[in-house]
Amino acid sequence: MVGKRKAAKKGKRTPIGDRVQFLTMMHPDVIADIKQVAIAEHRAAWDVMEQAAREFLKRRKPKKSEP
C-alpha cells in the first residue's frame, strides 16, 4: 500500500504590527511587476504595495492654503 501524503496545513499568517488583511484585484502583469520589485529589493510584496499606497495617499492630500 502506498503511503498517504499529508495535506499541507493552511493557516493564517501572523499579522505584522497592527496590519489587517485586505483583498484587491489587479491585472496579472501589475502583480508580476510588484513581485519582481519585491524580489529585487528583498522585501515582501505587501510592503511594496503599502509603500506605494502611502505615497499615493500623501500626494492626494489637499494642500493647506496659507492665510
Side-chain angles (χ1 to χ4, degrees), residues 48-62:
V48 172
M49 289 304 305
E50 184 174 57
Q51 179 186 358
R54 286 182 186 277
E55 290 172 6
F56 171 78
L57 293 170
K58 187 176 178 181
R59 287 192 311 266
R60 289 191 45 102
K61 278 190 179 176

Side-chain angles (χ1 to χ4, degrees), residues 2-3 7 9 12-13 15 18-21 24 28 30 32 35-36 38 40 44 51-52 55 57 60:
V2 178
K9 249 187 177 177
K12 289 186 177 182
R13 287 185 150 194
D18 59 352
R19 289 171 175 82
V20 295
Q21 187 173 3
T24 187
V30 175
K35 288 180 178 182
Q36 287 300 315
Q51 179 186 358
E55 290 172 6
L57 293 170
R60 289 191 45 102

Side-chain angles (χ1 to χ4, degrees), residues 1-2 4-5 11 14 16-19 23-24 26-27 30 32 34-35 39 43-44 47 53-54 57-59 61 67:
M1 184 171 198
V2 178
K4 290 184 180 179
R5 280 187 168 183
T14 304
I16 298 173
D18 59 352
R19 289 171 175 82
L23 178 65
T24 187
M26 290 185 231
H27 192 278
V30 175
I34 291 166
K35 288 180 178 182
I39 290 167
R43 298 166 60 190
D47 190 41
R54 286 182 186 277
L57 293 170
K58 187 176 178 181
R59 287 192 311 266
K61 278 190 179 176

